[in-house]
Amino acid sequence: MSYTTDFISKLTRAANGVDKLSTDEYRRLVERALRMVREMRLETGTHPSRGNYVAMRDLEIAALMAEAAANNDEVEGVLLNLAGMIRALKIMVDGKIDVRKSD
């Protein structure tokens, strides 16, 4: 398994065990995931647009609100949303690498 796949699994496991997750663990996972999303977007050549900035800002706000409210459903949703974003970006990154190899 790759580093990215391992992290997606970690996010999913954390979402499924939200009641066992400390605030610090949640915060570290979210920060790491947001950093990974930004880096992968750069790697895929996804040019920042207003929509991308808004989506990232909304996700960051949702993460902070879930943390502040300590609502397990919201925390779970944020973690699963991040896992989905990283999974989609991984597919794009892998596809871009395959295209480059065949050129």
Side-chain angles (χ1 to χ4, degrees), residues 44-59:
T44 61
T46 305
H47 298 290
S49 66
R50 179 161 164 58
N52 286 341
Y53 284 125
V54 170
M56 286 301 290
R57 178 52 71 201
D58 287 349
L59 190 54

Side-chain angles (χ1 to χ4, degrees), residues 2-101:
S2 73
Y3 170 80
T4 305
T5 307
D6 287 340
F7 188 59
I8 293 168
S9 296
K10 188 172 188 165
L11 285 170
T12 305
R13 279 192 307 274
N16 290 329
V18 152
D19 53 331
K20 300 172 190 166
L21 198 62
S22 74
T23 303
D24 288 336
E25 290 171 318
Y26 169 72
R27 188 177 301 130
R28 280 192 301 271
L29 283 171
V30 168
E31 287 172 356
R32 187 173 158 195
L34 289 170
R35 186 172 47 251
M36 184 178 278
V37 166
R38 285 186 190 102
E39 290 170 359
M40 291 177 83
R41 282 184 170 180
L42 288 173
E43 191 174 342
T44 61
T46 305
H47 298 290
S49 66
R50 179 161 164 58
N52 286 341
Y53 284 125
V54 170
M56 286 301 290
R57 178 52 71 201
D58 287 349
L59 190 54
E60 290 171 5
I61 290 169
L64 291 171
M65 288 176 64
E67 180 182 338
N71 182 327
N72 285 354
D73 291 338
E74 290 177 20
V75 169
E76 179 182 350
V78 167
L79 293 173
L80 290 175
N81 193 359
L82 285 165
M85 289 177 78
I86 294 169
R87 186 178 300 113
L89 285 164
K90 181 178 179 353
I91 292 167
M92 291 173 63
V93 168
D94 290 348
K96 191 171 183 178
I97 291 169
D98 291 341
V99 170
R100 286 184 194 157
K101 286 182 182 177

